[in-house]
Amino acid sequence: MPLSKLNKEQYRAATAAMGHNLIIASAGTGKTSTIVARIAHLLNSGISADKILLLTFTNKAASEMIERLEKYFDGKIIKQIRAGTFHSVSNLLLKSLGKGVILKQPSELKTLLKSIADRRQFHRISDTKGYSGAYLYDIYSLFCNSCVNDESFEDWFALNYPDQAEFAAIYDDILREFEETKMQFNYADFNDLLIKMRNELKNGSAICFDEILVDEYQDTNSLQGSLIDAFNAKSLFCVGDFDQSIYAFNGANIEIIGSFKERYIGANIYSLNINYRSSAKILALANKVIANNPRLYPKSLEVSRDGEFKSPVLLVYDELFVQYSAVAEIIAKSRYHKSDIAIIFRNNSSADGLEVALKEWGISCKRKGGVSFFEAREIKALIDLVAILVNPKDIMAFIHIMEYARGIGNAHAKELFDILSSAGHGDIIKGLLHPDKKSAKLAPKKQNYQLGLFDDFSEFMPSNRFASLGFDDEFMASPALNYSNLNQNGAIFLFELKNLIYTINNELNSSKIISSIMQSKIYNIIVDNLATKRATLKNGNIDSELKCSAIERIMAKARVLLEISKRHSSIDNFYNFLTLGKSEISEGDGVNLLTVHASKGLEFNLVFVVDLAEGRFPNSRLMSDIEEERRLFYVAVTRAKDELVLSYAKYDKIRKVEYQPSCFLVEAGMVRNSV
């Protein structure tokens, strides 16, 4: 039975008298086993399975606990337990009450809200541009998650968005109409499920549970907390760790776990203090740092594992990419299976360099959190420009590049490729630089047999319609300019593509080619396109500071590729490096490349925590407060079972920034405070 496998602390918690029980379960102390044992204890005590509610933050976590219970109890009984996420459970319970809703994705409801908001006039009130319906939806979602005491949206909005306060009454009215429309069609989003469930309970619904068990209690937001209270269960069994509360950005309210004893008079607090995961030396380091945060509840962690384990290691490097390459080399020589190794990072820029370094060592990895470096649009565009040079018959590379020419869709890009290819006798580089106009032709039109019609008709037109754009005579003679569906943006884009190819056509050195691409006007157009999109606010305005920042991040990624290109003498070799085995970088059985948030709940034999420098970890840009950053550090290092390697670099030659060691390394006693 689950209870027989527990230690004394776990057993004491699992068999606690019914009431309000909070279990502080630190990293690696067996919280899942304790929850499973608690449910077993309830069943053994005569509590009916259908009177037990288990709330988790993933359906997977709930399923795993139910599977464990089915090993000891009749499956038919166990299936009567209500188990799942707050949203999935609320949805099922509402259906059981005959209050089922039509669940809609946020994107669908944003469209609905936009249709309502677009009818309102803002310009007559102020020169300030009003928020879009999509942005208003996100704000409203934040309001629903954080305000649970009948607060006025109008007052809350005016307080939190003072620059838009003059529109607060209008937004409030828009949202009133939005709610009426949703009610008319019985639509609901994820927040609505919880709100509707809570309202049903407050209005006297017959649903009741003898005990509610809540996993990862430290991650609950105010709306979820109010739903738990609305159930008014006879007993609560909440399991969490305040030191692992790292989702404040997503609405998690640490005060919910912090105020448990004050909110529930007579509540019992239990602590699980025996760690089964990490070695004593790893745990000692983690505890030394997290002890600098306020103690909400007392903790005294002990280690259960016997044996000799290595002390955590700090590696210091002169330069950022030297660090990444060194980490990859250590992993390449490691005795551990690659899937038992994790590299944990705080910033996506760290992951970019690591991903490239691992690839150079022929090590596959699985990246979770952020977009793969090689899949970033700015990097794919660079690679596509190289691809056209290496293989002038690469139609897909050409089509992908032409996506950045406004007004040129994929179909038109293909026809342009056909023109240039025919003008170059199968080579689009020749078609751009030295076209044979007599050979240029469009692919024959294909008949649409369903309609008895031909595809959109394309024809050649005079190129003099582009005379005002200042093209040289040679390019003005290009047959591509005669293509009827080519607009001015497309013509300029093709001109700059021609200029780039002219510059690098006879160049073989990979770094010189990448450098030329980065300095070219065509790449500048691509960068401006991407940066503008990333800096466009949800109200439709373009934030100039955000755009500058986006351009800097894009160019920083490009400079990473430039640095790597210096290690490959020829462009052919470099292109092979970029393309061969490309999928392996994010697939298969490889090293785990994880954000701190993605690493939560996981464990590995060998863990690297990289870029532990001031400004990077703790992150000066993303940091809400130092206490949360310290909790992130605690989560990262407690993923390690056997070995922990910490590292940082003194200098970033791409950004030209010098770094000091992280304050967490100082707190851990691994470096001296330089002040």
Side-chain angles (χ1 to χ4, degrees), residues 406-650:
R406 285 182 297 168
I408 304 295
N410 289 352
H412 295 161
K414 183 182 181 303
E415 291 194 327
L416 280 167
F417 181 89
D418 291 338
I419 294 169
L420 292 169
S421 182
S422 60
H425 301 282
D427 186 323
I428 66 164
I429 289 181
K430 290 181 180 178
L432 273 168
L433 300 184
H434 310 292
D436 181 354
K437 198 166 184 178
K438 294 179 180 178
S439 300
K441 59 183 179 181
L442 287 167
K445 298 289 101 179
K446 294 184 179 179
Q447 190 173 6
N448 188 323
Y449 290 100
Q450 287 92 342
L451 299 176
L453 301 171
F454 289 91
D455 291 339
D456 289 341
F457 184 68
S458 298
E459 61 182 6
F460 288 113
M461 293 179 64
S463 62
N464 59 13
R465 68 192 196 277
F466 300 120
S468 64
L469 298 179
F471 298 148
D472 57 64
D473 293 342
E474 189 176 10
F475 188 67
M476 283 298 294
S478 172
L481 295 187
N482 298 128
Y483 176 51
S484 62
N485 290 317
L486 184 68
N487 61 18
Q488 287 196 0
N489 289 318
I492 293 170
F493 199 82
L494 273 180
F495 178 66
E496 297 302 342
L497 178 61
K498 186 265 296 185
N499 288 339
L500 172 64
I501 290 176
Y502 181 82
T503 303
I504 63 177
N505 190 33
N506 295 315
E507 181 61 66
L508 298 176
N509 183 278
S510 58
S511 64
K512 289 182 179 179
I513 288 174
I514 298 298
S515 180
S516 295
I517 293 174
M518 289 171 60
Q519 296 172 44
S520 68
K521 288 186 178 180
I522 189 171
Y523 195 64
N524 184 66
I525 293 171
I526 293 169
V527 170
D528 188 78
N529 182 305
L530 292 172
T532 299
K533 288 182 179 178
R534 294 171 188 180
T536 301
L537 305 175
K538 292 181 179 179
N539 62 6
N541 293 330
I542 297 171
D543 188 314
S544 57
E545 290 187 11
L546 199 60
K547 184 175 178 178
C548 289
S549 177
I551 291 173
E552 175 53 35
R553 288 197 298 274
I554 289 169
M555 295 309 296
K557 279 184 180 285
R559 288 193 290 271
V560 170
L561 200 68
L562 176 62
E563 280 300 310
I564 303 304
S565 70
K566 295 175 182 178
R567 304 172 195 175
H568 300 264
S569 56
S570 75
I571 191 61
D572 286 336
N573 289 339
F574 185 50
Y575 184 67
N576 286 338
F577 161 73
L578 293 173
T579 55
L580 294 178
K582 184 176 176 181
S583 63
E584 293 178 4
I585 204 70
S586 58
E587 299 174 2
D589 191 20
V591 173
N592 299 274
L593 191 55
L594 307 167
T595 63
V596 182
H597 293 93
S599 75
K600 193 167 181 292
L602 305 177
E603 58 183 33
F604 306 93
N605 293 98
L606 171 60
V607 169
F608 295 83
V609 184
V610 300
D611 283 337
L612 281 162
E614 283 296 297
R616 296 184 69 85
F617 197 171
N619 187 304
S620 56
R621 185 173 61 87
L622 300 176
M623 183 172 64
S624 55
D625 63 73
I626 190 64
E627 291 177 12
E628 175 121 342
E629 290 290 310
R630 193 174 283 116
R631 292 194 293 270
L632 284 162
F633 177 81
Y634 177 81
V635 167
V637 299
T638 54
R639 301 310 96 195
K641 295 166 63 177
D642 299 342
E643 295 186 42
L644 174 65
V645 179
L646 310 175
S647 68
Y648 78 95
K650 298 176 182 178

Side-chain angles (χ1 to χ4, degrees), residues 201-324:
L201 293 168
K202 286 184 175 181
N203 292 331
S205 167
I207 291 176
C208 63
F209 294 98
D210 288 345
E211 179 159 296
I212 297 176
L213 300 96
V214 186
D215 188 23
E216 303 288 2
Y217 188 60
Q218 76 279 348
D219 294 333
T220 52
N221 60 36
S222 297
L223 177 55
Q224 292 162 339
S226 70
L227 178 60
I228 294 170
D229 288 340
F231 276 110
N232 196 27
K234 296 177 182 177
S235 181
L236 279 181
F237 191 84
C238 301
V239 182
D241 181 13
F242 51 89
D243 286 335
Q244 297 185 74
S245 179
I246 58 174
Y247 287 98
F249 73 94
N250 209 26
N253 183 359
I254 196 172
E255 289 300 315
I256 291 176
I257 189 172
S259 63
F260 191 89
K261 203 163 185 177
E262 287 71 38
R263 288 184 295 111
Y264 303 114
I265 305 302
N268 299 304
I269 312 295
Y270 299 91
S271 292
L272 307 183
N273 293 304
I274 300 176
N275 181 284
Y276 294 93
R277 177 186 299 157
S278 304
S279 71
K281 294 173 181 177
I282 292 172
L283 198 62
L285 182 148
N287 289 338
K288 193 171 182 179
V289 174
I290 200 65
N292 290 279
N293 274 3
R295 299 288 79 197
L296 301 181
Y297 300 100
K299 277 182 169 185
S300 181
L301 290 181
E302 304 173 17
V303 177
S304 70
R305 297 180 66 190
D306 296 323
E308 290 294 321
F309 297 96
K310 293 182 179 179
S311 298
V313 175
L314 174 62
L315 303 177
V316 183
Y317 299 93
D318 289 332
E319 203 280 321
L320 206 64
F321 283 86
V322 174
Q323 173 194 195
Y324 302 150

Side-chain angles (χ1 to χ4, degrees), residues 38-195:
R38 174 63 176 184
I39 296 174
H41 173 70
L42 293 174
L43 293 171
N44 290 333
S45 301
I47 302 296
S48 178
D50 62 358
K51 294 296 182 182
I52 298 173
L53 172 62
L54 170 61
L55 295 172
T56 60
F57 277 80
T58 65
N59 285 314
K60 182 183 178 184
S63 298
E64 289 175 351
M65 294 184 200
I66 294 299
E67 286 174 10
R68 287 200 200 183
L69 286 163
E70 286 177 338
K71 295 178 182 178
Y72 305 100
F73 296 92
D74 188 330
K76 293 180 180 178
I77 295 174
I78 297 303
K79 283 182 170 55
Q80 295 178 39
I81 297 172
R82 294 285 191 184
T85 64
F86 285 83
H87 301 106
S88 64
V89 165
S90 294
N91 194 32
L92 288 172
L93 291 176
L94 286 170
K95 286 181 179 178
S96 72
L97 294 171
K99 307 288 185 179
V101 294
I102 300 171
L103 191 59
K104 290 290 184 180
Q105 294 296 318
S107 59
E108 296 176 286
L109 291 176
K110 283 181 179 181
T111 301
L112 175 61
L113 184 56
K114 187 176 184 297
S115 72
I116 297 170
D118 286 352
R119 298 199 304 267
R120 307 302 174 103
Q121 299 291 329
F122 292 87
H123 64 272
R124 297 177 182 176
I125 301 174
S126 169
D127 292 334
T128 303
K129 189 174 181 179
Y131 288 152
S132 69
Y135 192 39
L136 182 59
Y137 180 90
D138 291 334
I139 292 173
Y140 187 49
S141 179
L142 178 63
F143 168 77
C144 292
N145 273 303
S146 54
C147 299
V148 296
N149 296 313
D150 297 322
E151 294 94 336
S152 160
F153 174 83
E154 184 178 345
D155 294 341
W156 175 87
F157 180 88
L159 180 65
N160 289 278
Y161 301 87
D163 58 322
Q164 291 271 316
E166 59 192 317
F167 301 140
I170 298 176
Y171 292 140
D172 190 66
D173 195 55
I174 290 171
L175 291 169
R176 177 195 53 75
E177 186 177 344
F178 177 59
E179 288 294 340
E180 289 174 353
T181 307
K182 285 196 299 179
M183 191 177 297
Q184 180 184 349
F185 294 100
N186 205 26
Y187 291 161
D189 63 10
F190 297 115
N191 286 336
D192 292 328
L193 286 175
L194 306 193
I195 293 169

